[in-house]
Short mmCIF file of all heavy atoms in Angstrom, two decimals:
data_model
loop_
_atom_site.label_atom_id
_atom_site.label_comp_id
_atom_site.label_asym_id
_atom_site.label_seq_id
_atom_site.Cartn_x
_atom_site.Cartn_y
_atom_site.Cartn_z
N MET A 1 0.84 -1.18 0.00
CA MET A 1 0.00 0.00 0.00
C MET A 1 0.89 1.24 0.00
O MET A 1 1.77 1.38 0.83
CB MET A 1 -0.89 -0.02 1.24
CG MET A 1 -1.82 1.16 1.25
SD MET A 1 -2.74 1.52 2.77
CE MET A 1 -3.34 0.05 3.40
N SER A 2 0.70 2.15 -0.95
CA SER A 2 1.51 3.36 -1.03
C SER A 2 0.83 4.50 -0.29
O SER A 2 -0.39 4.61 -0.26
CB SER A 2 1.77 3.75 -2.48
OG SER A 2 0.56 4.12 -3.09
N THR A 3 1.65 5.36 0.30
CA THR A 3 1.14 6.50 1.05
C THR A 3 1.29 7.75 0.21
O THR A 3 2.37 8.03 -0.31
CB THR A 3 1.92 6.68 2.36
OG1 THR A 3 1.85 5.46 3.10
CG2 THR A 3 1.37 7.80 3.18
N VAL A 4 0.21 8.51 0.06
CA VAL A 4 0.24 9.75 -0.68
C VAL A 4 0.59 10.87 0.29
O VAL A 4 -0.04 11.02 1.34
CB VAL A 4 -1.12 10.04 -1.36
CG1 VAL A 4 -1.11 11.38 -2.05
CG2 VAL A 4 -1.46 8.93 -2.32
N VAL A 5 1.61 11.64 -0.04
CA VAL A 5 2.05 12.73 0.82
C VAL A 5 1.37 14.02 0.37
O VAL A 5 1.45 14.39 -0.80
CB VAL A 5 3.59 12.89 0.77
CG1 VAL A 5 4.04 14.07 1.60
CG2 VAL A 5 4.26 11.61 1.22
N ASP A 6 0.69 14.67 1.29
CA ASP A 6 0.04 15.94 1.01
C ASP A 6 1.12 17.02 1.00
O ASP A 6 1.74 17.29 2.03
CB ASP A 6 -1.00 16.22 2.10
CG ASP A 6 -1.67 17.57 1.95
OD1 ASP A 6 -1.49 18.23 0.90
OD2 ASP A 6 -2.38 17.97 2.89
N PRO A 7 1.37 17.66 -0.16
CA PRO A 7 2.45 18.64 -0.24
C PRO A 7 2.22 19.85 0.68
O PRO A 7 3.18 20.41 1.20
CB PRO A 7 2.48 19.06 -1.71
CG PRO A 7 1.27 18.49 -2.34
CD PRO A 7 0.71 17.45 -1.44
N VAL A 8 0.98 20.23 0.89
CA VAL A 8 0.70 21.37 1.78
C VAL A 8 1.04 21.00 3.21
O VAL A 8 1.69 21.76 3.93
CB VAL A 8 -0.77 21.83 1.65
CG1 VAL A 8 -1.10 22.89 2.68
CG2 VAL A 8 -1.05 22.34 0.24
N ALA A 9 0.63 19.81 3.62
CA ALA A 9 0.93 19.35 4.98
C ALA A 9 2.44 19.21 5.17
O ALA A 9 2.98 19.57 6.22
CB ALA A 9 0.23 18.04 5.27
N ARG A 10 3.13 18.69 4.16
CA ARG A 10 4.60 18.53 4.25
C ARG A 10 5.26 19.90 4.37
O ARG A 10 6.20 20.07 5.15
CB ARG A 10 5.12 17.77 3.03
CG ARG A 10 6.61 17.58 3.04
CD ARG A 10 7.09 16.75 4.23
NE ARG A 10 8.51 16.96 4.40
CZ ARG A 10 9.09 17.29 5.55
NH1 ARG A 10 8.40 17.39 6.66
NH2 ARG A 10 10.39 17.47 5.62
N PHE A 11 4.79 20.88 3.60
CA PHE A 11 5.34 22.23 3.67
C PHE A 11 5.14 22.80 5.07
O PHE A 11 6.07 23.36 5.66
CB PHE A 11 4.67 23.13 2.63
CG PHE A 11 5.09 24.56 2.71
CD1 PHE A 11 6.27 24.99 2.14
CD2 PHE A 11 4.30 25.48 3.37
CE1 PHE A 11 6.67 26.32 2.23
CE2 PHE A 11 4.68 26.81 3.46
CZ PHE A 11 5.87 27.23 2.89
N GLU A 12 3.93 22.65 5.60
CA GLU A 12 3.64 23.18 6.94
C GLU A 12 4.49 22.51 8.00
O GLU A 12 5.00 23.17 8.91
CB GLU A 12 2.15 23.04 7.25
CG GLU A 12 1.29 23.95 6.40
CD GLU A 12 -0.20 23.70 6.55
OE1 GLU A 12 -0.59 22.69 7.20
OE2 GLU A 12 -0.98 24.51 6.02
N ASP A 13 4.67 21.20 7.89
CA ASP A 13 5.52 20.47 8.84
C ASP A 13 6.96 20.95 8.75
O ASP A 13 7.63 21.14 9.77
CB ASP A 13 5.46 18.97 8.58
CG ASP A 13 4.12 18.35 8.95
OD1 ASP A 13 3.33 18.99 9.67
OD2 ASP A 13 3.87 17.21 8.50
N ALA A 14 7.44 21.15 7.53
CA ALA A 14 8.82 21.61 7.33
C ALA A 14 9.00 23.01 7.92
O ALA A 14 10.01 23.30 8.56
CB ALA A 14 9.18 21.60 5.85
N MET A 15 8.01 23.87 7.73
CA MET A 15 8.10 25.23 8.28
C MET A 15 8.11 25.21 9.81
O MET A 15 8.87 25.94 10.44
CB MET A 15 6.94 26.09 7.77
CG MET A 15 7.10 26.56 6.35
SD MET A 15 8.57 27.60 6.08
CE MET A 15 8.16 29.01 7.10
N LYS A 16 7.28 24.37 10.40
CA LYS A 16 7.26 24.26 11.87
C LYS A 16 8.60 23.77 12.40
O LYS A 16 9.12 24.29 13.39
CB LYS A 16 6.14 23.31 12.32
CG LYS A 16 4.76 23.89 12.19
CD LYS A 16 3.69 22.89 12.58
CE LYS A 16 2.31 23.43 12.26
NZ LYS A 16 1.27 22.43 12.50
N GLU A 17 9.15 22.76 11.73
CA GLU A 17 10.46 22.24 12.15
C GLU A 17 11.53 23.31 11.99
O GLU A 17 12.39 23.48 12.86
CB GLU A 17 10.82 20.99 11.36
CG GLU A 17 12.10 20.35 11.84
CD GLU A 17 12.49 19.09 11.08
OE1 GLU A 17 11.69 18.57 10.28
OE2 GLU A 17 13.62 18.62 11.30
N LEU A 18 11.47 24.05 10.91
CA LEU A 18 12.43 25.12 10.67
C LEU A 18 12.32 26.20 11.75
O LEU A 18 13.34 26.69 12.26
CB LEU A 18 12.22 25.72 9.28
CG LEU A 18 13.23 26.73 8.78
CD1 LEU A 18 14.64 26.17 8.83
CD2 LEU A 18 12.89 27.16 7.36
N GLU A 19 11.12 26.56 12.13
CA GLU A 19 10.92 27.55 13.19
C GLU A 19 11.51 27.07 14.51
O GLU A 19 12.14 27.85 15.23
CB GLU A 19 9.43 27.85 13.36
CG GLU A 19 8.84 28.66 12.21
CD GLU A 19 7.33 28.78 12.30
OE1 GLU A 19 6.73 28.34 13.30
OE2 GLU A 19 6.74 29.32 11.34
N THR A 20 11.32 25.80 14.81
CA THR A 20 11.87 25.22 16.04
C THR A 20 13.39 25.27 16.02
O THR A 20 14.04 25.63 17.02
CB THR A 20 11.39 23.77 16.21
OG1 THR A 20 9.97 23.76 16.28
CG2 THR A 20 11.96 23.14 17.46
N ILE A 21 13.98 24.95 14.88
CA ILE A 21 15.43 24.98 14.74
C ILE A 21 15.95 26.40 14.94
O ILE A 21 16.93 26.61 15.66
CB ILE A 21 15.86 24.42 13.37
CG1 ILE A 21 15.66 22.90 13.36
CG2 ILE A 21 17.31 24.78 13.04
CD1 ILE A 21 15.84 22.26 12.00
N VAL A 22 15.31 27.37 14.33
CA VAL A 22 15.74 28.76 14.47
C VAL A 22 15.69 29.20 15.93
O VAL A 22 16.62 29.83 16.43
CB VAL A 22 14.88 29.69 13.57
CG1 VAL A 22 15.13 31.15 13.90
CG2 VAL A 22 15.17 29.42 12.10
N GLN A 23 14.62 28.83 16.62
CA GLN A 23 14.50 29.19 18.04
C GLN A 23 15.63 28.59 18.86
O GLN A 23 16.21 29.27 19.71
CB GLN A 23 13.14 28.74 18.58
CG GLN A 23 11.98 29.55 18.04
CD GLN A 23 10.63 28.95 18.41
OE1 GLN A 23 10.54 27.89 19.02
NE2 GLN A 23 9.56 29.63 18.02
N LYS A 24 15.94 27.33 18.61
CA LYS A 24 17.03 26.68 19.34
C LYS A 24 18.37 27.36 19.06
O LYS A 24 19.17 27.57 19.97
CB LYS A 24 17.12 25.19 18.97
CG LYS A 24 16.00 24.36 19.54
CD LYS A 24 16.15 22.91 19.11
CE LYS A 24 15.04 22.04 19.67
NZ LYS A 24 15.18 20.63 19.25
N LEU A 25 18.61 27.68 17.80
CA LEU A 25 19.87 28.32 17.44
C LEU A 25 19.97 29.72 18.02
O LEU A 25 21.05 30.15 18.44
CB LEU A 25 20.04 28.35 15.91
CG LEU A 25 20.29 27.00 15.24
CD1 LEU A 25 20.24 27.14 13.73
CD2 LEU A 25 21.63 26.42 15.68
N GLU A 26 18.87 30.44 18.04
CA GLU A 26 18.88 31.81 18.56
C GLU A 26 19.16 31.85 20.06
O GLU A 26 19.73 32.81 20.55
CB GLU A 26 17.56 32.51 18.26
CG GLU A 26 17.43 32.93 16.82
CD GLU A 26 16.12 33.61 16.50
OE1 GLU A 26 15.13 33.45 17.26
OE2 GLU A 26 16.07 34.31 15.47
N ARG A 27 18.77 30.81 20.80
CA ARG A 27 19.04 30.76 22.23
C ARG A 27 20.53 30.69 22.51
O ARG A 27 20.99 31.15 23.55
CB ARG A 27 18.33 29.58 22.87
CG ARG A 27 16.91 29.89 23.21
CD ARG A 27 16.30 28.77 24.04
NE ARG A 27 15.16 28.29 23.27
CZ ARG A 27 14.92 27.05 22.91
NH1 ARG A 27 15.72 26.08 23.30
NH2 ARG A 27 13.88 26.73 22.19
N GLY A 28 21.29 30.08 21.59
CA GLY A 28 22.74 30.02 21.74
C GLY A 28 23.22 29.10 22.85
O GLY A 28 24.32 29.27 23.35
N GLU A 29 22.42 28.13 23.24
CA GLU A 29 22.78 27.25 24.34
C GLU A 29 23.33 25.90 23.88
O GLU A 29 23.63 25.04 24.71
CB GLU A 29 21.54 27.02 25.23
CG GLU A 29 21.01 28.29 25.84
CD GLU A 29 19.67 28.11 26.53
OE1 GLU A 29 19.09 27.01 26.44
OE2 GLU A 29 19.21 29.07 27.16
N LEU A 30 23.46 25.71 22.59
CA LEU A 30 23.90 24.42 22.05
C LEU A 30 25.41 24.39 21.87
O LEU A 30 26.06 25.42 21.70
CB LEU A 30 23.23 24.18 20.69
CG LEU A 30 21.71 24.16 20.68
CD1 LEU A 30 21.21 24.13 19.23
CD2 LEU A 30 21.17 22.99 21.46
N LYS A 31 25.94 23.18 21.89
CA LYS A 31 27.35 23.01 21.57
C LYS A 31 27.53 23.24 20.07
O LYS A 31 26.57 23.15 19.30
CB LYS A 31 27.80 21.60 21.95
CG LYS A 31 27.78 21.37 23.44
CD LYS A 31 28.27 19.98 23.77
CE LYS A 31 28.24 19.80 25.28
NZ LYS A 31 28.75 18.51 25.70
N LEU A 32 28.74 23.53 19.68
CA LEU A 32 29.03 23.84 18.27
C LEU A 32 28.57 22.73 17.34
O LEU A 32 27.93 22.99 16.33
CB LEU A 32 30.52 24.11 18.08
CG LEU A 32 30.96 24.44 16.66
CD1 LEU A 32 30.23 25.67 16.14
CD2 LEU A 32 32.46 24.63 16.60
N GLU A 33 28.87 21.49 17.69
CA GLU A 33 28.49 20.37 16.81
C GLU A 33 26.98 20.28 16.65
O GLU A 33 26.47 20.05 15.56
CB GLU A 33 29.05 19.06 17.37
CG GLU A 33 28.88 17.89 16.41
CD GLU A 33 29.61 16.65 16.89
OE1 GLU A 33 30.73 16.76 17.38
OE2 GLU A 33 29.01 15.57 16.75
N GLU A 34 26.24 20.48 17.74
CA GLU A 34 24.78 20.45 17.68
C GLU A 34 24.26 21.61 16.82
O GLU A 34 23.33 21.44 16.03
CB GLU A 34 24.18 20.56 19.08
CG GLU A 34 24.44 19.36 19.96
CD GLU A 34 24.01 19.61 21.39
OE1 GLU A 34 24.52 20.56 22.01
OE2 GLU A 34 23.15 18.85 21.88
N SER A 35 24.87 22.78 16.99
CA SER A 35 24.46 23.95 16.21
C SER A 35 24.68 23.72 14.72
O SER A 35 23.82 24.04 13.90
CB SER A 35 25.24 25.19 16.65
OG SER A 35 24.90 25.56 17.96
N LEU A 36 25.82 23.15 14.38
CA LEU A 36 26.13 22.89 12.97
C LEU A 36 25.16 21.86 12.38
O LEU A 36 24.70 22.01 11.24
CB LEU A 36 27.56 22.40 12.81
CG LEU A 36 28.63 23.47 13.03
CD1 LEU A 36 30.02 22.83 13.02
CD2 LEU A 36 28.53 24.57 12.01
N SER A 37 24.83 20.84 13.16
CA SER A 37 23.90 19.82 12.69
C SER A 37 22.51 20.42 12.46
O SER A 37 21.87 20.16 11.44
CB SER A 37 23.82 18.70 13.72
OG SER A 37 22.90 17.72 13.32
N LEU A 38 22.06 21.26 13.41
CA LEU A 38 20.76 21.90 13.25
C LEU A 38 20.77 22.89 12.09
O LEU A 38 19.79 23.01 11.35
CB LEU A 38 20.35 22.62 14.54
CG LEU A 38 19.78 21.73 15.64
CD1 LEU A 38 19.49 22.56 16.88
CD2 LEU A 38 18.52 21.03 15.18
N PHE A 39 21.87 23.60 11.93
CA PHE A 39 21.98 24.55 10.82
C PHE A 39 21.87 23.81 9.49
O PHE A 39 21.16 24.25 8.58
CB PHE A 39 23.30 25.32 10.89
CG PHE A 39 23.47 26.30 9.78
CD1 PHE A 39 22.84 27.53 9.82
CD2 PHE A 39 24.25 25.99 8.67
CE1 PHE A 39 22.99 28.44 8.78
CE2 PHE A 39 24.40 26.89 7.63
CZ PHE A 39 23.77 28.12 7.69
N GLU A 40 22.56 22.68 9.39
CA GLU A 40 22.52 21.88 8.16
C GLU A 40 21.09 21.41 7.89
O GLU A 40 20.60 21.48 6.75
CB GLU A 40 23.46 20.70 8.30
CG GLU A 40 23.57 19.86 7.05
CD GLU A 40 24.58 18.74 7.17
OE1 GLU A 40 25.10 18.50 8.29
OE2 GLU A 40 24.85 18.10 6.16
N ARG A 41 20.41 20.92 8.92
CA ARG A 41 19.01 20.47 8.76
C ARG A 41 18.13 21.65 8.35
O ARG A 41 17.26 21.53 7.49
CB ARG A 41 18.52 19.84 10.07
CG ARG A 41 17.07 19.44 10.05
CD ARG A 41 16.81 18.30 9.09
NE ARG A 41 15.39 17.94 9.14
CZ ARG A 41 14.71 17.51 8.10
NH1 ARG A 41 15.29 17.32 6.94
NH2 ARG A 41 13.43 17.24 8.22
N GLY A 42 18.35 22.79 8.97
CA GLY A 42 17.58 23.99 8.65
C GLY A 42 17.76 24.41 7.20
O GLY A 42 16.79 24.80 6.54
N MET A 43 18.97 24.33 6.70
CA MET A 43 19.22 24.68 5.30
C MET A 43 18.50 23.72 4.36
O MET A 43 17.93 24.15 3.35
CB MET A 43 20.73 24.69 5.01
CG MET A 43 21.47 25.82 5.69
SD MET A 43 20.84 27.46 5.27
CE MET A 43 21.23 27.53 3.53
N ALA A 44 18.50 22.44 4.70
CA ALA A 44 17.79 21.46 3.86
C ALA A 44 16.29 21.74 3.88
O ALA A 44 15.63 21.69 2.83
CB ALA A 44 18.07 20.04 4.36
N LEU A 45 15.75 22.06 5.05
CA LEU A 45 14.33 22.38 5.14
C LEU A 45 14.00 23.65 4.37
O LEU A 45 12.97 23.74 3.70
CB LEU A 45 13.91 22.54 6.61
CG LEU A 45 13.83 21.26 7.43
CD1 LEU A 45 13.73 21.59 8.91
CD2 LEU A 45 12.66 20.41 6.98
N SER A 46 14.89 24.62 4.45
CA SER A 46 14.69 25.88 3.73
C SER A 46 14.63 25.63 2.22
O SER A 46 13.76 26.18 1.53
CB SER A 46 15.83 26.83 4.07
OG SER A 46 15.76 28.01 3.31
N GLN A 47 15.51 24.80 1.72
CA GLN A 47 15.52 24.48 0.29
C GLN A 47 14.25 23.72 -0.10
O GLN A 47 13.68 23.95 -1.17
CB GLN A 47 16.76 23.68 -0.07
CG GLN A 47 18.03 24.51 0.00
CD GLN A 47 19.28 23.68 -0.23
OE1 GLN A 47 19.25 22.45 -0.21
NE2 GLN A 47 20.40 24.36 -0.44
N GLU A 48 13.82 22.81 0.77
CA GLU A 48 12.60 22.05 0.51
C GLU A 48 11.39 22.99 0.43
O GLU A 48 10.56 22.89 -0.48
CB GLU A 48 12.39 21.03 1.63
CG GLU A 48 11.17 20.17 1.46
CD GLU A 48 11.00 19.18 2.60
OE1 GLU A 48 12.01 18.71 3.16
OE2 GLU A 48 9.84 18.87 2.91
N CYS A 49 11.31 23.92 1.37
CA CYS A 49 10.20 24.88 1.38
C CYS A 49 10.25 25.79 0.16
O CYS A 49 9.22 26.08 -0.45
CB CYS A 49 10.22 25.71 2.67
SG CYS A 49 9.78 24.77 4.15
N ARG A 50 11.43 26.24 -0.21
CA ARG A 50 11.59 27.10 -1.39
C ARG A 50 11.13 26.36 -2.64
O ARG A 50 10.45 26.92 -3.51
CB ARG A 50 13.04 27.54 -1.53
CG ARG A 50 13.29 28.50 -2.66
CD ARG A 50 12.68 29.84 -2.35
NE ARG A 50 12.08 30.34 -3.57
CZ ARG A 50 11.29 31.38 -3.64
NH1 ARG A 50 10.97 32.03 -2.55
NH2 ARG A 50 10.79 31.77 -4.76
N GLY A 51 11.49 25.09 -2.75
CA GLY A 51 11.07 24.28 -3.89
C GLY A 51 9.55 24.14 -3.94
O GLY A 51 8.94 24.20 -5.01
N ALA A 52 8.94 23.95 -2.77
CA ALA A 52 7.48 23.83 -2.72
C ALA A 52 6.81 25.14 -3.14
O ALA A 52 5.81 25.13 -3.87
CB ALA A 52 7.03 23.44 -1.31
N LEU A 53 7.37 26.25 -2.70
CA LEU A 53 6.81 27.55 -3.09
C LEU A 53 6.99 27.81 -4.59
O LEU A 53 6.08 28.32 -5.25
CB LEU A 53 7.46 28.68 -2.29
CG LEU A 53 7.09 28.72 -0.81
CD1 LEU A 53 7.92 29.78 -0.09
CD2 LEU A 53 5.61 28.98 -0.62
N ASP A 54 8.15 27.44 -5.12
CA ASP A 54 8.39 27.60 -6.56
C ASP A 54 7.40 26.76 -7.37
O ASP A 54 6.87 27.19 -8.38
CB ASP A 54 9.82 27.21 -6.93
CG ASP A 54 10.84 28.23 -6.45
OD1 ASP A 54 10.45 29.37 -6.08
OD2 ASP A 54 12.05 27.88 -6.42
N SER A 55 7.15 25.54 -6.89
CA SER A 55 6.21 24.65 -7.56
C SER A 55 4.79 25.22 -7.52
O SER A 55 4.08 25.19 -8.53
CB SER A 55 6.24 23.27 -6.90
OG SER A 55 5.30 22.42 -7.47
N ALA A 56 4.40 25.75 -6.38
CA ALA A 56 3.07 26.35 -6.25
C ALA A 56 2.93 27.57 -7.17
O ALA A 56 1.90 27.77 -7.81
CB ALA A 56 2.81 26.75 -4.80
N GLU A 57 3.99 28.36 -7.25
CA GLU A 57 3.97 29.54 -8.12
C GLU A 57 3.80 29.12 -9.58
O GLU A 57 3.03 29.73 -10.33
CB GLU A 57 5.25 30.35 -7.95
CG GLU A 57 5.28 31.60 -8.79
CD GLU A 57 6.55 32.42 -8.61
OE1 GLU A 57 7.52 31.91 -8.01
OE2 GLU A 57 6.58 33.56 -9.09
N LEU A 58 4.49 28.08 -9.98
CA LEU A 58 4.38 27.58 -11.35
C LEU A 58 2.96 27.09 -11.64
O LEU A 58 2.41 27.37 -12.71
CB LEU A 58 5.39 26.45 -11.59
CG LEU A 58 5.43 25.86 -12.98
CD1 LEU A 58 5.76 26.93 -14.02
CD2 LEU A 58 6.44 24.73 -13.04
N LYS A 59 2.35 26.41 -10.69
CA LYS A 59 0.97 25.94 -10.86
C LYS A 59 0.02 27.12 -11.02
O LYS A 59 -0.89 27.08 -11.85
CB LYS A 59 0.54 25.08 -9.68
CG LYS A 59 1.17 23.72 -9.67
CD LYS A 59 0.75 22.92 -8.46
CE LYS A 59 1.48 21.60 -8.39
NZ LYS A 59 1.13 20.84 -7.19
N ILE A 60 0.22 28.15 -10.22
CA ILE A 60 -0.64 29.34 -10.31
C ILE A 60 -0.48 30.01 -11.67
O ILE A 60 -1.48 30.39 -12.30
CB ILE A 60 -0.32 30.33 -9.17
CG1 ILE A 60 -0.78 29.74 -7.84
CG2 ILE A 60 -0.97 31.69 -9.42
CD1 ILE A 60 -0.31 30.49 -6.63
N LYS A 61 0.75 30.13 -12.14
CA LYS A 61 0.98 30.74 -13.45
C LYS A 61 0.31 29.92 -14.56
O LYS A 61 -0.16 30.47 -15.54
CB LYS A 61 2.48 30.85 -13.72
CG LYS A 61 3.14 31.94 -12.91
CD LYS A 61 4.63 31.99 -13.19
CE LYS A 61 5.30 33.03 -12.31
NZ LYS A 61 6.76 33.05 -12.52
N THR A 62 0.27 28.60 -14.38
CA THR A 62 -0.36 27.74 -15.36
C THR A 62 -1.88 27.91 -15.33
O THR A 62 -2.54 27.89 -16.37
CB THR A 62 0.00 26.27 -15.09
OG1 THR A 62 1.41 26.13 -15.12
CG2 THR A 62 -0.62 25.35 -16.11
N LEU A 63 -2.44 28.08 -14.14
CA LEU A 63 -3.88 28.21 -13.98
C LEU A 63 -4.41 29.59 -14.38
O LEU A 63 -5.58 29.73 -14.70
CB LEU A 63 -4.28 27.92 -12.53
CG LEU A 63 -4.08 26.48 -12.08
CD1 LEU A 63 -4.31 26.37 -10.58
CD2 LEU A 63 -5.02 25.55 -12.83
N VAL A 64 -3.54 30.59 -14.33
CA VAL A 64 -3.97 31.96 -14.65
C VAL A 64 -3.16 32.42 -15.87
O VAL A 64 -2.22 33.20 -15.75
CB VAL A 64 -3.73 32.92 -13.46
CG1 VAL A 64 -4.26 34.29 -13.76
CG2 VAL A 64 -4.33 32.36 -12.18
N PRO A 65 -3.54 31.95 -17.05
CA PRO A 65 -2.79 32.33 -18.27
C PRO A 65 -3.02 33.80 -18.61
O PRO A 65 -4.04 34.40 -18.27
CB PRO A 65 -3.38 31.40 -19.33
CG PRO A 65 -4.74 31.06 -18.84
CD PRO A 65 -4.67 31.08 -17.35
N GLY A 66 -2.07 34.35 -19.31
CA GLY A 66 -2.20 35.72 -19.79
C GLY A 66 -1.75 36.78 -18.81
O GLY A 66 -1.64 37.93 -19.17
N LYS A 67 -1.50 36.41 -17.59
CA LYS A 67 -1.00 37.37 -16.60
C LYS A 67 0.50 37.36 -16.65
O LYS A 67 1.12 36.30 -16.53
CB LYS A 67 -1.48 37.01 -15.21
CG LYS A 67 -2.97 37.14 -15.04
CD LYS A 67 -3.23 38.07 -13.92
CE LYS A 67 -4.73 38.23 -13.78
NZ LYS A 67 -5.08 39.30 -12.94
N PRO A 68 1.14 38.50 -16.82
CA PRO A 68 2.61 38.52 -16.83
C PRO A 68 3.14 38.19 -15.45
O PRO A 68 2.54 38.58 -14.44
CB PRO A 68 2.95 39.95 -17.22
CG PRO A 68 1.73 40.75 -16.92
CD PRO A 68 0.57 39.80 -17.03
N ALA A 69 4.23 37.48 -15.40
CA ALA A 69 4.86 37.12 -14.14
C ALA A 69 5.52 38.36 -13.53
O ALA A 69 6.21 39.10 -14.21
CB ALA A 69 5.90 36.03 -14.36
N ALA A 70 5.26 38.60 -12.28
CA ALA A 70 5.87 39.73 -11.59
C ALA A 70 7.31 39.37 -11.25
O ALA A 70 7.60 38.24 -10.88
CB ALA A 70 5.09 40.05 -10.32
N ASP A 71 8.18 40.32 -11.37
CA ASP A 71 9.58 40.10 -10.99
C ASP A 71 9.66 40.10 -9.48
O ASP A 71 9.50 41.14 -8.85
CB ASP A 71 10.50 41.17 -11.58
CG ASP A 71 10.67 41.04 -13.07
OD1 ASP A 71 10.54 39.92 -13.60
OD2 ASP A 71 10.95 42.06 -13.71
N SER A 72 9.89 38.93 -8.89
CA SER A 72 9.93 38.83 -7.45
C SER A 72 11.35 38.94 -6.92
O SER A 72 11.56 39.01 -5.73
CB SER A 72 9.32 37.51 -6.99
OG SER A 72 10.02 36.43 -7.55
N GLU A 73 12.34 38.92 -7.77
CA GLU A 73 13.72 39.00 -7.30
C GLU A 73 14.44 40.11 -8.01
O GLU A 73 14.25 40.47 -9.08
CB GLU A 73 14.43 37.67 -7.53
CG GLU A 73 13.80 36.58 -6.67
CD GLU A 73 14.49 35.25 -6.88
OE1 GLU A 73 15.73 35.22 -6.95
OE2 GLU A 73 13.79 34.25 -6.96
#
């Protein structure tokens, strides 16, 4: 039996985990190795979230033809 992953739920979970990581890092109470490990995980989550947002933006552009894409960067 295969499990279907809800991309919205996965994005929300990733954002919550990322927020938790940021809070832990901002407290500054971790050892260097722990901080580096959390930072690495945070970067991976950040890339995952960015990819999800890029995918959602592409879907919106596909659903709303004729609208010029706004320069977001």
